Amino acid sequence: MPSDAPSYGQLQLHMVARTRVSVYLLLQEKITRKAQMILIAAVVIGAFLGWRRAGQVGGNTRDKAQYAIAFALAFAIVGLLATVIIDRMI
Protein backbone atom coordinates (compact mmCIF):
# COMPACT_ATOMS: atom_id res chain seq x y z
CA MET A 1 0.00 0.00 0.00
CA PRO A 2 1.53 3.34 -1.03
CA SER A 3 2.20 5.81 1.75
CA ASP A 4 0.13 8.61 0.14
CA ALA A 5 -3.07 6.51 0.03
CA PRO A 6 -5.71 7.49 2.60
CA SER A 7 -6.16 5.20 5.57
CA TYR A 8 -9.41 3.47 6.41
CA GLY A 9 -10.17 6.03 9.14
CA GLN A 10 -9.62 8.92 6.75
CA LEU A 11 -11.99 7.34 4.24
CA GLN A 12 -14.66 6.93 6.92
CA LEU A 13 -14.23 10.56 7.99
CA HIS A 14 -14.54 11.68 4.38
CA MET A 15 -17.76 9.66 3.93
CA VAL A 16 -19.28 11.12 7.11
CA ALA A 17 -18.42 14.65 5.99
CA ARG A 18 -19.92 14.00 2.56
CA THR A 19 -23.08 12.58 4.10
CA ARG A 20 -23.48 15.60 6.39
CA VAL A 21 -23.07 17.97 3.45
CA SER A 22 -25.64 15.99 1.44
CA VAL A 23 -28.16 16.06 4.30
CA TYR A 24 -27.55 19.80 4.77
CA LEU A 25 -28.12 20.47 1.06
CA LEU A 26 -31.32 18.42 1.07
CA LEU A 27 -32.63 20.34 4.09
CA GLN A 28 -31.74 23.66 2.45
CA GLU A 29 -33.60 22.60 -0.70
CA LYS A 30 -36.72 21.74 1.34
CA ILE A 31 -36.53 25.05 3.20
CA THR A 32 -36.14 26.92 -0.08
CA ARG A 33 -39.19 25.19 -1.54
CA LYS A 34 -41.25 26.01 1.54
CA ALA A 35 -40.08 29.61 1.41
CA GLN A 36 -41.14 29.86 -2.22
CA MET A 37 -44.52 28.40 -1.36
CA ILE A 38 -45.04 30.93 1.43
CA LEU A 39 -44.12 33.80 -0.86
CA ILE A 40 -46.34 32.63 -3.73
CA ALA A 41 -49.25 32.03 -1.39
CA ALA A 42 -48.84 35.51 0.11
CA VAL A 43 -48.90 37.14 -3.34
CA VAL A 44 -51.99 35.21 -4.45
CA ILE A 45 -53.88 35.89 -1.21
CA GLY A 46 -52.89 39.56 -1.34
CA ALA A 47 -54.10 39.93 -4.93
CA PHE A 48 -57.39 38.23 -4.10
CA LEU A 49 -57.99 40.39 -1.04
CA GLY A 50 -57.09 43.56 -2.97
CA TRP A 51 -59.47 42.69 -5.81
CA ARG A 52 -62.23 41.96 -3.31
CA ARG A 53 -61.60 45.16 -1.33
CA ALA A 54 -61.80 47.32 -4.46
CA GLY A 55 -65.07 45.61 -5.35
CA GLN A 56 -66.48 46.38 -1.90
CA VAL A 57 -65.78 50.09 -2.24
CA GLY A 58 -67.35 50.19 -5.71
CA GLY A 59 -64.25 50.30 -7.91
CA ASN A 60 -64.18 49.51 -11.62
CA THR A 61 -61.89 46.91 -13.22
CA ARG A 62 -58.86 49.22 -13.27
CA ASP A 63 -59.34 50.04 -9.59
CA LYS A 64 -59.60 46.35 -8.80
CA ALA A 65 -56.38 45.63 -10.71
CA GLN A 66 -54.57 48.46 -8.92
CA TYR A 67 -55.73 47.29 -5.51
CA ALA A 68 -54.83 43.70 -6.39
CA ILE A 69 -51.29 44.70 -7.37
CA ALA A 70 -50.81 46.90 -4.32
CA PHE A 71 -52.08 44.25 -1.93
CA ALA A 72 -50.01 41.56 -3.68
CA LEU A 73 -46.84 43.64 -3.23
CA ALA A 74 -47.62 44.36 0.40
CA PHE A 75 -48.32 40.70 1.13
CA ALA A 76 -45.16 39.69 -0.78
CA ILE A 77 -43.06 41.88 1.51
CA VAL A 78 -44.69 40.37 4.58
CA GLY A 79 -44.23 36.87 3.12
CA LEU A 80 -40.58 37.59 2.39
CA LEU A 81 -40.01 38.74 5.97
CA ALA A 82 -41.77 35.60 7.21
CA THR A 83 -39.52 33.36 5.11
CA VAL A 84 -36.39 35.14 6.37
CA ILE A 85 -37.53 34.73 9.98
CA ILE A 86 -38.39 31.07 9.43
CA ASP A 87 -35.06 30.45 7.66
CA ARG A 88 -33.12 32.04 10.51
CA MET A 89 -34.95 29.97 13.13
CA ILE A 90 -34.21 26.64 11.41
Side-chain angles (χ1 to χ4, degrees):
M1 185 171 187
S3 63
D4 60 342
S7 67
Y8 181 70
Q10 289 174 334
L11 286 176
Q12 281 185 328
L13 183 61
H14 177 69
M15 291 299 291
V16 168
R18 245 177 83 194
T19 304
R20 286 185 180 169
V21 169
S22 298
V23 169
Y24 175 75
L25 291 175
L26 285 173
L27 287 174
Q28 285 299 101
E29 184 177 331
K30 286 183 180 181
I31 291 170
T32 303
R33 286 184 186 166
K34 288 181 181 180
Q36 289 173 350
M37 291 174 55
I38 291 171
L39 189 58
I40 292 170
V43 169
V44 170
I45 291 169
F48 172 74
L49 292 176
W51 188 275
R52 199 176 86 188
R53 176 68 182 142
Q56 288 175 349
V57 296
N60 60 17
T61 304
R62 289 182 178 180
D63 293 332
K64 290 178 183 179
Q66 182 178 358
Y67 269 71
I69 291 170
F71 273 58
L73 287 173
F75 274 64
I77 292 170
V78 172
L80 185 61
L81 290 173
T83 56
V84 168
I85 290 169
I86 289 170
D87 188 42
R88 297 287 180 173
M89 290 177 67
I90 294 178

